[in-house]
């Protein structure tokens, strides 16, 4: 009966050990602590009577990979959408960059050092891979349309800088060979990598990944997991990972929060969560507990 | 404002409300199609023209009134099925904007064909409804407009009954709520779309007869689509109730504005006034007065 | 609006002219003026150039940025009447009046583009009709715009450049061609540079664009302003080089649809497609007229031909949307690819 979770154990053993050791130990109630990269405080969200999130508090430390799991409709995507400002919470606060905010404006995310990917691919099919990734740097552009058209030296230097960074991140994720192809002509797995590249290109501090491995083959998943891990190692990223594949989650994350019907029912390291009776009940139904 | 001026304003408003019913009548044809297939059917005006031209030519050739109605209904149904077959089916699963542009092309085809078949001359259409005004509490009301409003109300009641009590109607509502779910339970989308287009054709016939009796049956009948669009935007594309309320709002404000604001601009503001009203409301409520505000999923 | 996503826009840099472009330009600037008859210039090339430019302006907004507009003709009218008034009332050189007219059209386009910040899809498309009706009404109603002419008719001034009167058909053609070429190069530079990325990002996925920091609102407004400015210049060419006497009623909804049809037939988000589409739209009625005169010996009257034209045009739109959503541009790509393959084999 517990194969869903013990299967994860196998995968965890196969994957590299969690790097929790590198993350400084923090007190459990560290929500308002200055060293969290991001925190939610009592966030609630509802859509016309349906509670998507109920009083969820949650913190994310710098350099940590933090998984959010739960059955379908548990509120995982809602959580990410609240953090990225696409949904506005009915109650609660978001702590980010030393500030306590009621709402975030999605436009302001990149400047706050937050990047995300989407559950369903959200690329720009009419652009090349290079242009898609470069779009992740648009918010930093200092030179306007006229400077671009006039070919001013500053604008040209900026374009070269952008191209450099794009090549960098493309090399890091191994998609350099595809830079000049239209993104819509790439296979699905590669498109997911491009979306990750677009999120990483501006070196964010917080990365939100909404099911980055959905619909991938086992090989692609392993590759994506390796990328997520090395992105964290290289950039010191704090990552929120929503993923259905428990095996991947157990192997990759430092801490796991479990949502069920919009309520956070468990939160802890992978072994803790695996043993949690509430989690087992939520996943397998009441009779399993 | 003295008593007489107040009466006059009331009379203007009532006249406006009644023309609003006529706008709503055209708008309802749009709503039917939009609700089931998410298409803004620009050809609705052309369908009004086609229906009215077909009917009036039959009557002028000595075909009895009700036979003409029946034949025109049959023609509109055939047109609906034909459109489903030749335009909608090949474009299934394409974006709403593509379908909209296709209906733009369709409006050209139908307008051209209607006039090619029936000629371009203006026809007078007499439905036998008196146009004499009568007085209620000192306000003069056009009999024709009142009868037209009654017919429109009957049509809305008939449509409501159709959707509430018949199998096809229930299927229509299922499709409007969730196309994928409707497909999953085995509803035939193509047949439902064809039926809905035929129903929109019936609405077009009623609108064509009433508007035709007012303005004469001619090409300009096709342009009432431009009167219906701001009504739709204001009411929300997917709400029949919205179309009616917005029709009334726009009809009344337009007539009042024509009388009280128009003179400052030298008149003729009815071409854009409705759009201005709709836009101002939209800036506050981007999906119209009664349009569904969908929760977007990311 | 995924309809637009299928269209292909590669990232070519504006470093130089490709061979086909050079051939077309030398034909246009040298061969045509030497050989073309006044009829070809007046009835085909002058309207073709003006409509191509209008199509280009609309394609920037609709094809690249994904915002559908049904009011393009209004901005042509604004351009034409603004240039007329600047010329009449300031006495500035014609090119200056044209630039000012483009700015006027851009500003008015910006105002009518403001709803795009809140409205999407059909709601926005319908709201652009407001521009169509309001502008046409204002130009007809206030005779100041037409210098007191009762029905708003204006007669365009003769184009003079540095003392040179460009009164002949060839002169007007070269003037128009120069402007269209310059603006086409500008548009090419815009869409293949960083601004092009913004435009297409907003078109393809507005939410993702917003979240990664593409300035969505600014990009939309830039698209409306640029598009209206370019369409405004197209209006000037229409009034000053082609018809030379215009009235507001000439810039009606049918004209707006015509421009939209050019973009659909040519292909969304392609520059050369716009020219192909405009070519088809201009030549097709002339061909139909010739054909019926030839086949039926003038037995079909002009009104009937207009109706047939309407039916065929509408049918063509539907056909393109069904069979070739990427327009004539895509057909040309396939043809040239096949041709190259033949040459290589042969």
């Amino acid at each position: 009966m517990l194969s869903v979770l013990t299967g994860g154990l196998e995968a965890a053993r196969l994957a590299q050990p969690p790097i929790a050791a590198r993350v400084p130990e923090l007190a459990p109630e560290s929500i308002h602590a200055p060293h969290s990269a991001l925190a939610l405080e009592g966030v609630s969200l509802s859509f016309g009577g349906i509670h998507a999130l109920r009083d969820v508090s949650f913190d994310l430390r710098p350099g940590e990979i933090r998984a959010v799991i739960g059955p379908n409709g548990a509120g995982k995507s809602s959580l990410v959408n609240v953090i990225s400002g696409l949904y506005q919470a009915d109650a609660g606060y978001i702590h980010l960059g030393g500030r306590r905010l009621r709402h975030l404006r999605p436009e302001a995310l990149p400047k706050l050092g937050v990047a995300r990917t989407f559950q369903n691919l959200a690329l720009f099919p009419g652009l090349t891979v290079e242009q898609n990734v470069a779009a992740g740097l648009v918010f930093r552009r200092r030179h306007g349309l006229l400077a671009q058209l006039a070919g001013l030296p500053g604008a040209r230097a900026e374009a070269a800088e952008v191209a450099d960074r794009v090549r960098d991140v493309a090399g890091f994720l191994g998609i350099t060979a595809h830079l000049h192809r239209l993104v819509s002509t790439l296979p699905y797995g590669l498109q997911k990598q491009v979306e990750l590249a677009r999120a990483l290109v501006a070196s964010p501090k917080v990365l939100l990944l909404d099911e980055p491995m959905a619909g991938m083959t086992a090989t692609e998943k392993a590759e994506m997991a390796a990328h997520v891990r090395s992105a964290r190692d290289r950039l010191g990223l704090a990552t929120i990972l929503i993923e259905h594949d428990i095996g991947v989650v157990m192997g990759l994350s430092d801490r796991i929060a479990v949502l069920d019907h919009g309520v956070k029912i468990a939160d802890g390291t992978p072994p803790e969560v695996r043993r949690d009776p509430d989690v087992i009940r939520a996943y397998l139904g009441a009779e399993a507990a | 404002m003295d008593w007489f001026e107040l009466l006059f304003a009331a009379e203007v408003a009532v006249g406006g409300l009644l023309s609003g019913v006529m706008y709503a009548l055209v708008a309802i044809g749009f709503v039917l199609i939009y609700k089931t297939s998410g298409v803004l059917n620009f050809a609705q005006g052309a369908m009004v023209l086609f229906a009215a031209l077909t009917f009036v030519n039959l009557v002028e050739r000595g075909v009895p009134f009700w036979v003409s109605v029946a034949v025109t209904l049959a023609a509109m149904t055939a047109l609906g099925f034909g459109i489903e077959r030749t335009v909608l089916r090949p474009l299934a699963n394409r974006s709403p904007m593509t379908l909209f542009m296709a209906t733009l092309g369709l409006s050209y085809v139908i307008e051209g064909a209607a006039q090619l078949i029936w000629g371009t001359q203006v026809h007078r259409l007499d439905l036998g409804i008196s146009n004499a005004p009568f007085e209620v509490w000192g306000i003069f009301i056009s009999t024709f407009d009142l009868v037209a409003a009654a017919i429109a109300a009957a049509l809305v009641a008939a449509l409501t009954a159709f959707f509430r009590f018949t199998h096809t109607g229930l299927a229509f509502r299922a499709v409007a709520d969730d196309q994928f779910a409707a497909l999953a339970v085995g509803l035939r989308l193509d047949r439902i779309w064809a039926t809905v287009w035929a129903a929109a054709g019936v609405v077009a016939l009623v609108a064509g007869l009433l508007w035709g009796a007012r303005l004469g049956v001619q090409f300009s009948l096709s342009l009432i689509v431009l009167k219906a669009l701001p009504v739709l935007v204001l009411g929300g594309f997917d709400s029949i109730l919205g179309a009616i309320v917005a029709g009334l709002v726009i009809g009344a404000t337009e007539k009042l504005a024509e009388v009280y604001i128009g003179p400052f601009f030298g008149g003729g503001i009815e071409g854009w006034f409705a759009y201005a009203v709709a836009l101002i409301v939209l800036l506050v409520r981007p999906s119209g007065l009664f349009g569904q505000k969908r929760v977007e999923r990311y | 609006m995924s309809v637009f996503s299928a269209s292909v826009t590669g990232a070519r840099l504006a470093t130089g002219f490709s061979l086909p472009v050079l051939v077309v330009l030398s034909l246009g600037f040298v061969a045509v003026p030497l050989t073309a008859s006044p009829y070809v210039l007046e009835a085909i090339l002058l309207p073709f150039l003006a409509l191509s430019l209008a199509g280009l302006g609309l394609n920037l907004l609709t094809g690249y940025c994904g915002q559908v507009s049904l009011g393009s003709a209004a901005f042509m009218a604004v351009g034409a009447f603004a240039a007329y008034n600047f010329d009449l009332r300031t006495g500035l050189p014609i090119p200056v009046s044209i630039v000012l007219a483009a700015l006027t059209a851009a500003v008015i386009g910006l105002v009518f583009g403001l709803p795009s910040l809140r409205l999407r899809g059909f709601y926005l498309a319908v709201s652009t009709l407001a521009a169509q009706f309001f502008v046409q009404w204002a130009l007809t109603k206030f005779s100041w715009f037409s210098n007191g002419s009762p029905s708003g008719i204006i007669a365009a001034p003769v184009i003079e450049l540095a003392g040179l009167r460009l009164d002949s058909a060839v002169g007007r053609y070269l003037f128009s061609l120069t402007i269209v070429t310059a603006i086409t190069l500008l548009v090419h530079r815009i869409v293949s540079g960083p601004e092009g990325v913004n435009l297409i990002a907003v078109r393809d996925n507005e939410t993702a664009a917003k979240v990664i920091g593409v300035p969505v609102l600014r990009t939309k407004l830039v698209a409306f302003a640029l598009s209206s400015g370019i369409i405004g210049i197209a209006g000037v060419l229409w009034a000053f080089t082609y018809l030379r006497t215009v009235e507001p009623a000439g810039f009606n909804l049918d004209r707006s649809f015509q421009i939209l049809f050019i973009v659909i037939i040519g292909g969304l988000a392609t520059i050369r497609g716009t020219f192909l589409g405009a070519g088809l739209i201009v030549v097709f009625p002339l061909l139909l007229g010739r054909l019926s005169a030839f086949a039926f010996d003038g037995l079909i009257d002009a009104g009937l031909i207009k109706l047939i034209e309407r039916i065929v045009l509408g049918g063509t739109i539907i056909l393109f949307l069904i069979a070739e959503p990427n327009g004539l541009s895509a057909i040309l790509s396939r043809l040239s690819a096949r041709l190259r393959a033949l040459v290589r084999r042969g």
Side-chain angles (χ1 to χ4, degrees), chain A residues 64-127:
Chain A
E64 177 183 41
I65 296 177
R66 185 93 154 85
V68 178
I69 62 172
N72 278 327
K76 306 182 298 287
S77 282
S78 293
L79 186 91
V80 168
N81 287 336
V82 165
I83 298 173
S84 45
L86 294 175
Y87 294 161
Q88 301 204 331
D90 306 326
Y93 295 91
I94 301 161
H95 296 258
L96 186 64
R99 285 194 289 171
R100 186 171 186 248
L101 305 160
R102 214 58 196 90
H103 301 301
L104 276 167
R105 289 189 315 119
E107 301 88 315
L109 280 188
K111 290 207 172 92
L112 291 166
V114 181
R116 68 166 290 177
T117 65
F118 289 79
Q119 188 175 345
N120 305 309
L121 278 172
L123 289 166
F124 309 122
L127 294 174

Side-chain angles (χ1 to χ4, degrees), chain C residues 76-128:
Chain C
M76 279 181 88
V78 169
F81 279 79
Y84 169 80
N85 278 292
F86 281 120
D87 182 73
L88 181 79
R89 293 169 205 278
T90 65
L92 289 165
I94 288 235
V96 179
S97 291
I98 294 181
V99 170
L100 290 174
L103 287 177
T104 310
V107 168
I108 294 186
L110 200 65
V111 172
F112 281 102
L114 286 176
S116 72
L117 304 186
R118 251 173 94 74
L119 307 181
R120 286 195 203 161
F122 296 130
Y123 288 95
L124 177 65
V126 171
S127 79
T128 59

